[in-house]
Amino acid sequence: MTFGYILGAAVLFLIIWLGDGIRRIGSVSVGKTIGERGGSALLLIDLQSVFWDCGPYSDASKKSASAVILEEVAAARVQNHPVIAVRQEWSIPSTKVLARLTMRGQAIEGCEGTELAWLFSSCPDHVIVKRVQDAFETGELDALLERLDVGELRVVGLDLNYCVQKTALAARNRGYGVTVMKYGVLAAGPMEAAEKRMSSAGVVFS
C-alpha cells in the first residue's frame, strides 16, 4: 500500500466526514406528530452574545427587533405562556471543525459568547442547547414542549435564513402551529426564499 493511496483514502474520508457535518447542520428533522395540545410558547432562537453583539446585524435592525422581542416576552408573561430560549453550541466533532473553518469559530461548545446576550438574559423560563440549525434535532425540545402541553409556537430571534427557518420547518413537520414574528427576527441576507419555503409549509408570518 503506497503513501499516495493512504493519503488519497484519508482525504476522501475527510471529505465524506465534513460533508456529513454540512448535511447535519442544515437538515430538518421529522419527529412524531403531536396530538391535541392547548398551550402556546414563545421561542427565542440564538439570541446569544456572539451573534447579537458581534453578528452582521445593524444597530438599527437590532433596536427594532429587540423592541418586538421584548414585547413578545412581556405578552407571554401576561398570558402565562412559557418563554424558551434556544442557544447554539457546535458540539459534534465535524460541525466544530466546520465552525472553525467557515464560521470564525463562533458558538463552539465551551467558547465565550454562547450565553444569552445581556438584553435577553432574564427572559427565558427554560433554556435548550441545540447542536445544529434545527432546535428539535436532539429531542430535548420535543420533550419539553410535550411536558408543557405546547401545540402553538411563536418564534423570534435569528437568523431567519438558517436556525429560525430550520426550527420552524421541523416544528411544522411535527404538527405544531408556528407563527414567526417577522419584525422580531433578523437575517444577514435576503429573506424572500426562506419566507416562501416556510409559508409553503404552513408557517404564518405576523
Side-chain angles (χ1 to χ4, degrees):
M1 186 178 295
T2 66
F3 174 76
Y5 178 86
I6 295 173
L7 180 61
V11 170
L12 179 59
F13 172 80
L14 180 61
I15 291 172
I16 294 172
W17 184 68
L18 290 176
D20 181 66
I22 293 170
R23 179 193 62 78
R24 295 180 74 168
I25 286 172
S27 293
V28 177
S29 62
V30 178
K32 181 175 69 174
T33 302
I34 66 171
E36 290 292 326
R37 298 183 187 174
S40 298
L42 176 64
L43 278 188
L44 314 179
I45 298 182
D46 289 2
L47 294 174
Q48 298 161 249
S49 296
V50 69
F51 300 132
W52 186 263
D53 298 331
C54 308
Y57 312 106
S58 69
D59 289 341
S61 64
K62 288 193 293 183
K63 181 178 180 180
S64 176
S66 65
V68 174
I69 293 167
L70 294 176
E71 285 176 5
E72 286 293 316
V73 171
R77 292 272 184 268
V78 169
Q79 298 172 75
N80 201 30
H81 294 166
V83 178
I84 303 168
V86 179
R87 296 192 299 107
Q88 179 65 49
E89 289 189 9
W90 304 111
S91 59
I92 302 169
S94 58
T95 63
K96 289 170 72 173
V97 171
L98 287 164
R100 293 190 185 281
L101 291 174
T102 65
M103 307 173 203
R104 297 183 292 166
Q106 292 182 325
I108 292 176
E109 181 184 36
C111 293
E112 293 184 3
T114 58
E115 73 283 350
L116 292 177
W118 69 269
L119 189 59
F120 311 108
S121 59
S122 64
C123 292
D125 302 303
H126 308 273
V127 179
I128 295 288
V129 175
K130 64 184 178 66
R131 310 187 302 173
V132 294
Q133 292 174 3
D134 172 6
F136 287 89
E137 180 260 348
T138 65
E140 187 177 357
L141 183 56
D142 289 289
L144 176 61
L145 294 175
E146 181 177 13
R147 178 163 61 84
L148 297 173
D149 192 40
V150 169
E152 295 284 336
L153 296 171
R154 294 173 73 83
V155 182
V156 295
L158 50 95
D159 184 296
L160 179 70
N161 291 326
Y162 301 103
C163 298
V164 170
Q165 177 185 186
K166 301 303 171 54
T167 298
L169 293 174
R172 288 297 300 143
N173 283 345
R174 290 159 168 78
Y176 288 94
V178 180
T179 300
V180 172
M181 310 313 296
K182 186 171 182 179
Y183 299 104
V185 294
L186 295 175
M191 299 186 293
E192 289 79 10
E195 288 182 16
K196 183 177 180 180
R197 184 180 180 191
M198 285 188 277
S199 295
S200 296
V203 175
V204 175
F205 285 84
S206 179

